[in-house]
């Protein structure tokens, strides 16, 4: 049941994050080029997403917040390259496309990146020992 709960929380947080990123991207695209709008929207939502996942999805693992955010930083780079590449490719293929169409491409690509993100977070970033709910997490030195 624990993995199902994790997937549920991760999915819910992912939906909210994807919608938030899409809305912020769409707003920023009124003034900025696609890559800049994507960078800022993805950066803001990655920080919020990582903290929400640390507190809700993976709350029963003894993962240090610094480790969580550093691990998410690497995933941020992957996500930025994938989403920017998709939007720039779409903009090249459809030069007259609206920011709304770009946003749809961004959101679809973000869904694919999210699947990879869950696997990496689960297997690498939050792989620490599980803790009982309500029990204090042990420090990295085991005390």
């Amino acid at each position: 049941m624990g993995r199902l709960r994790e997937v549920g929380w991760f999915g819910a947080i992912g939906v909210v994050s994807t919608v938030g990123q899409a809305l912020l991207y769409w707003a920023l695209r009124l003034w900025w080029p696609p890559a800049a709008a994507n960078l800022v929207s993805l950066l803001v939502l990655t920080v919020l997403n990582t903290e929400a996942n640390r507190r809700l999805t993976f709350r029963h693992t003894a993962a240090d917040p610094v480790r969580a955010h550093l691990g998410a930083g690497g995933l941020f780079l992957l996500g930025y390259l994938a989403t920017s590449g998709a939007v720039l490719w779409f903009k090249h293929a459809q030069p007259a496309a609206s920011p709304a169409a770009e946003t749809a491409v961004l959101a679809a690509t973000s869904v694919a990146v999210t699947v990879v993100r869950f696997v990496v977070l689960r297997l690498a970033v939050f792989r620490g020992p599980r803790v009982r709910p309500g029990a204090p997490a042990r420090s990295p030195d085991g005390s």
Side-chain angles (χ1 to χ4, degrees):
M1 189 67 173
R3 293 279 188 247
L4 186 57
R5 182 196 57 78
E6 283 181 354
V7 170
W9 272 113
F10 194 84
I13 292 166
V15 166
V16 171
S17 296
T18 299
V19 169
Q21 184 197 0
L23 291 173
L24 185 55
Y25 173 84
W26 195 357
L28 294 174
R29 271 298 281 129
L30 296 173
W31 303 281
W32 295 354
N38 186 39
L39 177 66
V40 171
S41 65
L42 187 61
L43 181 61
V44 168
L45 270 297
T46 295
V47 171
L48 296 173
N49 177 289
T50 300
E51 191 58 23
N53 278 307
R54 187 181 76 78
R55 291 174 181 255
L56 299 171
T57 305
F58 303 112
R59 66 179 175 235
H60 298 302
T61 58
D64 178 53
V66 173
R67 174 188 166 103
H69 284 281
L70 286 175
L75 293 169
F76 165 81
L77 181 59
L78 170 70
Y80 177 71
L81 293 173
T83 55
S84 287
V87 169
L88 292 174
W89 171 83
F90 178 72
K91 193 71 176 158
H92 175 74
Q94 300 290 328
S98 69
E102 289 176 22
T103 302
V105 170
L106 178 83
T109 307
S110 292
V111 169
V113 168
T114 297
V115 172
V116 173
R117 184 175 158 77
F118 177 80
V119 171
V120 173
L121 287 173
R122 166 65 5 245
L123 296 177
V125 177
F126 294 103
R127 71 176 190 278
R130 296 190 63 79
V131 294
R132 291 185 327 265
R138 291 197 288 178
S139 66
D141 66 358
S143 58

